Amino acid sequence: DLNGEATSSDEVAEATAMMGNYEAQQKEAAAARAKDPAWKPTCGEVGLIQVGDGKKSGALKNFCLNAEGNILACFAPPESKGAAGLRVYSPKGELLQTLPLAIKPGAVCVAKDGAIFVAGDGKVLKLDATGKLLASAVSPVANEPVVITSEMEEMIKQSGRPIKEETENMKVNLERRRAEVTGLAVTEQDVFMAVGAP
């Protein structure tokens, strides 16, 4: 149909023109930002610190500085066995040491006195500056029961997927989630943890 082809090519031309206008607007906005001193970056990259060897997969979960200015990086390989721990890097990015842990660390912070707090797998550990374990405690939600609410059940029903299978998957995910610690902070008296609700 000749009329249909004309309409189709008109639509293509219109879409192309619209994209051209959008790209022109983007370039114009970028040029305006380049001239505006408020958009100038205040920081610049001075180096790259590679956590891990680049061959095996793993995850950098969190990091902080210790009293000496070294970087404490939470490293957790995906498999259950492996070198999970705190990796200590110099400010230049040299790996100084690895403090092995019995947990996969998800968050770390250092107290004023130099004590290291690290959390993951539903636990929080207190280490001295050399990595020696001083104390440990269970996360506030690690032992809480997983609850599938009526809202969750309704969501599963609406998904159209097998209810029993999806409910089990959701339970497993919530059990895993309650063991994660995504943030950690300490004061002289208290430890604050960001954890997922079960």
Side-chain angles (χ1 to χ4, degrees), residues 11-98:
E11 288 171 357
V12 169
E14 187 179 324
T16 304
M18 208 182 321
M19 284 306 294
N21 287 340
Y22 177 73
E23 288 172 10
Q25 288 172 355
Q26 291 299 323
K27 286 179 183 176
E28 206 175 288
R33 282 193 301 272
K35 293 175 188 172
D36 184 350
W39 281 91
K40 299 277 188 241
T42 58
C43 303
E45 182 180 313
V46 296
L48 175 68
I49 298 174
Q50 178 72 42
V51 177
D53 58 14
K55 296 174 187 170
K56 296 178 185 171
S57 63
L60 170 64
K61 295 287 193 170
N62 203 302
F63 63 92
C64 72
L65 297 179
N66 66 9
E68 292 78 40
N70 293 324
I71 301 164
L72 302 179
C74 294
F75 184 76
E79 61 276 354
S80 58
K81 296 176 185 174
L86 282 179
R87 294 188 176 182
V88 183
Y89 292 90
S90 73
K92 293 181 179 179
E94 300 158 336
L95 179 61
L96 301 176
Q97 72 180 116
T98 298

Side-chain angles (χ1 to χ4, degrees), residues 147-171 174:
V147 177
I148 304 295
T149 65
S150 57
E151 291 85 4
M152 292 175 177
E153 288 175 353
E154 187 59 36
M155 188 174 69
I156 292 169
K157 287 176 188 174
Q158 290 178 1
S159 73
R161 298 185 189 124
I163 293 171
K164 186 176 180 183
E165 184 180 321
E166 284 302 307
T167 302
E168 284 305 311
N169 286 341
M170 189 172 278
K171 270 188 180 175
L174 288 171

Side-chain angles (χ1 to χ4, degrees), residues 107-190:
V108 63
C109 68
V110 177
K112 284 183 181 180
D113 65 0
I116 301 166
F117 287 80
V118 61
D121 290 342
K123 294 181 183 173
V124 60
L125 311 177
K126 180 181 180 181
L127 313 172
D128 69 11
T130 66
K132 179 183 171 191
L133 180 64
L134 301 175
S136 69
V138 176
S139 154
V141 297
N143 296 324
E144 289 294 314
V146 169
V147 177
I148 304 295
T149 65
S150 57
E151 291 85 4
M152 292 175 177
E153 288 175 353
E154 187 59 36
M155 188 174 69
I156 292 169
K157 287 176 188 174
Q158 290 178 1
S159 73
R161 298 185 189 124
I163 293 171
K164 186 176 180 183
E165 184 180 321
E166 284 302 307
T167 302
E168 284 305 311
N169 286 341
M170 189 172 278
K171 270 188 180 175
V172 168
N173 287 333
L174 288 171
E175 285 167 0
R176 188 179 309 122
R177 178 180 157 179
R178 74 178 174 190
E180 291 177 2
V181 179
T182 57
L184 195 59
V186 296
T187 66
E188 290 179 10
Q189 297 181 33
D190 300 303

